[in-house]
Amino acid sequence: MKPLVVKELTKIFELREGNIFSKRKREIYAVRDVSFDVDNGEILGLLGPNGAGKTTLIKMLCTLIEPTKGEAYIKGYSITKEAQKVKQNLGVMLTGERALYWKLTGRENLEYFAALYHLDPSWTKSRIDELLELLGLKDRENTLVENYSTGMRIRLNFAKALLNDAPVLLFDEPTMSLDPQSSRLIRSLIKELRDKGKTIILTTHYMEEADQLSDKVAIINYGRIVALAKPSELKVKVNKSKVIEIEGRGFERLEELNIKGIMKVDYKDSLLKVYTEDSRELLPKLLEFLIGKGVQVSNIKLPEPSLEDVFIELTGRTLRD
Amino acid sequence: MEDYQSFNLYKFFIEFKASFLKDFKIYIRYPSWFVSDLISTPLWFLFFLLALILFIPEPSSPTIYSIDYFFWGYVFVIFLATSLWGIGHEIRTEQLEGTIEQLFLAPVSRLTLIIGRWARTLIVDLMIIFYTLLLVKFFSNAKFNVFHPSLLLFAFVLIEVTILGLGLLFSALALKMKSYNSLTTLLFITLTIVSGVYFPPSALPYPINMVSYSLPFTYLVDLLKYSALEIKTIIEISVEIPLSFLLASLTFLLGLFSFRWTERDLRKKGQIGFH
Amino acid sequence: MIRDLRVLKAVMIKDLKHYYRYPSGTLFLFIVPFLFTFLLSTMGSFVGGTLAKEYFYLRTGVENFFLYQILGTNIWIMAWVILEDIGTSIRNEQIKGTLEQNFLVPINKFFFLLGLSFAHTLLALLSFIVVVGSSLALVDLESLPRLFPSSLILLLGLIPLFGLGFVFSSLVIHLKEPYSFTHLINTFFSVVAGTYYPVHILPYWVQWISYSIPHTYLIDEMRKIIFSNQLVVELYGNTIILLSMGIIYMILGLRLFRFFERRARINGGLSKF
Ligand SMILES: Nc1ncnc2c1ncn2[C@@H]1O[C@H](COP(=O)(O)OP(=O)(O)OP(=O)(O)O)[C@@H](O)[C@H]1O
Ligand SMILES: [Mg+2]
């Protein structure tokens, strides 16, 4: 069994709306029938617009929310039946900076949680030192967290997630509100963790982050997984559409351009953009036609679709709308 | 749930210590509460006594007997306040400050964490009670002779078990209620009235004293006063002792049960970290 | 000016909504006074035995000790809530992170605070009418009309209390965790203001403090109106003192609030907690 297996996980929130006199019940399907698994040394990126259900999914996996239906196994332990075992095998970082005691110092926070995770006392100190060092917090370890910057708090929160050296790691937007440098640090740490064989899920809003880090990307929309594959495979999926860009001279000689498959043509000075359903199929015909008309072609581009294109195509939404 | 089944003494100790130390550190670092308690605890006692002076003939100091009597009642009230605010409300604070989800993420029993907190409050309470006792003794020439010390100790232990149970119950309430603080005050005063803290339940009018007789605190306070002042007990002392023991254990179980139930409910609704 | 008034309304409505959404907080103002008074009355009867009523009359000149006590409780709790709530409401916003948002908008802080106070004026008046009014109606129907002049005095007495409330809330911005402090001061005020007894039973030097806070005058004047049937005009001395205290504490409160707000801006403490 893979270290993380999710089977038809569903969460329906029941809300009561209105005032004391008229209450209506409303059901919100935050996560619907989600299934996937993640292997050792693999990162799954969860990508989805706001309210897609990413956080709910993560919280179900770490037992903070009880699923309405379905099951998931962390290292073979059921999240609904063996909560303590599950937690022992998890390192979790939830969104935000409120996860720590602001009135304790950075080190005290880690010491506290180390005890709660039953770290061997003889190991605790060196582990904490190591993590503080790793995240560049060593010289501020004795500062109260309330005097940390947001970025420092998030880094400390990250360190907290690594404390128990768990085999499965869940990160909910780990690089939110971090500067490029800290983000890079976190990303490279996540990669290192993967290389050490950890099983990782991370949610993110940043396309390049998902693209760079993930071995698999799951695009989630209205609680459903609408696509799940390697980033490169996902891109191939949308490769059929899109654009052909041709640089050259003599476009003004073209009166019309009606080859089967062309949807729209734009041209400006020396750049011609042809929109089509399937650029690879069209390209040879197009070139033949252009050359036949005496156009001098100097450059041809088939822009790679970005993950963003994939995302928009699949969800019909941009990431933050 | 298996959370509570696999009891391991060593783990319990580690978790307990961590929780206790964390609470203690924060408490020490922000001493304003301690200072405030130190001053306002005797002030409240004075407040009550002054209001009572109007009900007795001059010269205006209440009899020594009644000061003792009220003091022991007050001790119970201090513990009660602790379980409501010190234990129950603290968990709400963790919720507001956002750390509570982290506690639920760790593979520990929440019960242990609450016991750790309770231990911190107990230490502080005992300090404040002792200090108030000295003050009262100094200003009032009350004697504070104790009739039956070991029974008093026993009553204390039972009260603490009850307080812990109540603390759990109130923690559960605090997690569910948005406006916990005002509700707490309501409960606090109601319990003070019906538990026969400052007067025997027989001083209450008819339907209310029936409530008193059906609450565990009534017997615990009664036992406390009996062991300190040798006041006639509500029921035969040989029955009251085992009864108190039973009631204290039941309260503890009730607290435990309600806390577990609430935890589960919040998991379902996804509201553990709710503000 | 009109814009300022709109701000005032918005803040007030926000606060009243809060009370409406969390009704147990409001219930508190209406139920706790009865409970607390019941507790004290029972204690009094227990201590005084069968002669409790007579002793009480000899000391205070008031026959019904329940009425005497409920008036004290109502004013005491009201003052407590006002002093604490203005600070608490700011503190809660600080915790939830909305305080900074309130400071981002270009409004006059005075109106911000005033909006908070208006919400409380409404509640205070309502609780006075319900608690003291219903007690009078039950126990001594004849004196019910005195509720009207005493409500007027209440409104007057609220002004210095709000002033004190502002002082407290400025401390919130400064101290962060103010409850311990407000709790202590409020307890102290309740003792020295003679909530349940005439101030003159207190030691002489304590009375000095009693006479420098509005609570004492408010309670005293109310007792005179309700139990001795004195007219408000006869009590002009107290009234003038309350009025001038209103001015002094208001100015002091606003000054301090501005001062600490500036300091918080300087050392970046607005969002810390
Ligand atoms: N405790 C709750 N009770 C009711 N509804 C909830 C609760 N938590 C989340 N929801 C709803 O479930 C849906 C999914 O929310 P979730 O927080 O999982 O989204 P998300 O993908 O993490 O969004 P974001 O990118 O904004 O973080 C939303 O419609 C949200 O309103
Ligand atoms: Mg989210």
Side-chain angles (χ1 to χ4, degrees), chain A residues 3 38-43 75 165-169 189-200 215:
Chain A
V38 190
D39 210 342
N40 286 320
E42 197 174 44
I43 299 178
K75 281 292 199 184
D165 198 22
V168 181
L169 298 165
L189 287 177
I190 291 180
K191 271 191 193 153
E192 265 174 44
L193 289 165
R194 181 214 17 219
D195 296 340
K196 280 189 199 149
K198 305 275 184 205
T199 305
I200 299 171
D215 301 302

Side-chain angles (χ1 to χ4, degrees), chain A residues 54-55 95 172-173:
Chain A
K54 304 180 294 291
T55 301
T95 327
D172 196 3
E173 303 191 35

Side-chain angles (χ1 to χ4, degrees), chain B residues 181-183 185-186, chain C residues 23-33 77 81:
Chain B
N181 213 2
S182 32
L183 195 91
T185 316
L186 217 69
Chain C
S24 60
T26 322
L27 222 63
F28 175 77
L29 277 175
F30 297 93
I31 296 178
V32 167
I77 290 186
V81 168

Side-chain angles (χ1 to χ4, degrees), chain A residues 11 13 59 63-66 83-84 87 94 98-101 103 108 112 115-118 160, chain B residues 2 15 18 22 25 29 94 97-99 101-105 107-108 110 264 267-269 272:
Chain A
K11 180 69 205 177
F13 285 114
K59 284 192 179 173
T63 73
L64 283 183
I65 291 182
E66 201 173 275
Q84 298 301 66
K87 288 187 239 176
L94 297 173
R98 284 275 186 258
L100 304 153
Y101 290 92
K103 293 181 174 170
E108 283 169 347
Y112 175 58
L116 296 198
Y117 278 100
H118 307 129
K160 199 218 108 208
Chain B
E2 35 99 36
E15 292 164 14
K22 178 212 77 180
K25 267 184 201 151
R29 200 159 283 158
E94 296 235 12
E97 295 185 350
T99 39
E101 285 186 326
Q102 308 303 319
L103 298 183
F104 279 73
L105 276 180
V108 299
R110 258 72 59 198
R264 179 117 204 269
R267 275 220 165 94
K268 261 196 200 130
K269 298 206 176 98
I272 289 176

Side-chain angles (χ1 to χ4, degrees), chain B residues 64-183:
Chain B
I64 293 163
Y65 167 75
S66 57
I67 286 192
D68 272 29
Y69 185 88
F70 290 116
F71 182 82
W72 290 113
Y74 194 53
V75 166
F76 180 78
V77 169
I78 293 175
F79 285 136
L80 187 62
T82 297
S83 78
L84 281 158
W85 283 284
I87 305 175
H89 196 244
E90 268 306 299
I91 208 153
R92 175 89 183 114
T93 311
E94 296 235 12
Q95 204 177 26
L96 277 175
E97 295 185 350
T99 39
I100 193 157
E101 285 186 326
Q102 308 303 319
L103 298 183
F104 279 73
L105 276 180
V108 299
S109 147
R110 258 72 59 198
L111 178 62
T112 319
L113 299 183
I114 288 178
I115 293 181
R117 170 157 306 148
W118 161 83
R120 196 274 286 152
T121 58
L122 178 63
I123 290 182
V124 175
D125 276 356
L126 288 178
M127 269 158 70
I128 289 182
I129 287 169
F130 186 65
Y131 148 90
T132 308
L133 187 134
L134 289 183
L135 268 187
V136 175
K137 207 169 157 139
F138 181 77
F139 282 109
S140 75
N141 68 24
K143 292 251 173 27
F144 289 112
N145 291 335
V146 169
F147 160 62
H148 199 319
S150 52
L151 194 60
L152 186 75
L153 193 68
F154 178 69
F156 261 122
V157 172
L158 286 191
I159 286 179
E160 281 310 311
V161 170
T162 316
I163 290 305
L164 189 53
L166 270 188
L168 280 166
L169 188 72
F170 294 134
S171 301
L173 263 182
L175 284 174
K176 290 228 63 138
M177 304 278 200
K178 293 262 151 70
S179 188
Y180 174 79
N181 213 2
S182 32
L183 195 91

Side-chain angles (χ1 to χ4, degrees), chain C residues 212-227:
Chain C
S212 60
I213 54 172
H215 308 55
T216 315
Y217 297 93
L218 189 57
I219 293 177
D220 184 52
E221 189 154 347
M222 294 265 196
R223 277 182 194 150
K224 284 182 177 146
I225 294 173
I226 291 179
F227 301 118

Side-chain angles (χ1 to χ4, degrees), chain C residues 6 11 32 40-41 64 66 73 83-84 86-87 93 98 107 119-120 145 148 152 161 166 202 220 231 234 250 257:
Chain C
R6 254 187 246 134
V11 174
V32 167
L40 269 179
S41 298
N64 193 306
F66 184 80
T73 316
L83 260 52
E84 192 171 273
I86 296 182
E93 302 220 5
T98 43
I107 58 163
H120 279 99
F148 180 67
L152 289 182
L161 285 178
F166 297 164
L202 293 171
D220 184 52
L231 298 177
E234 289 178 86
M250 270 286 171
F257 193 82

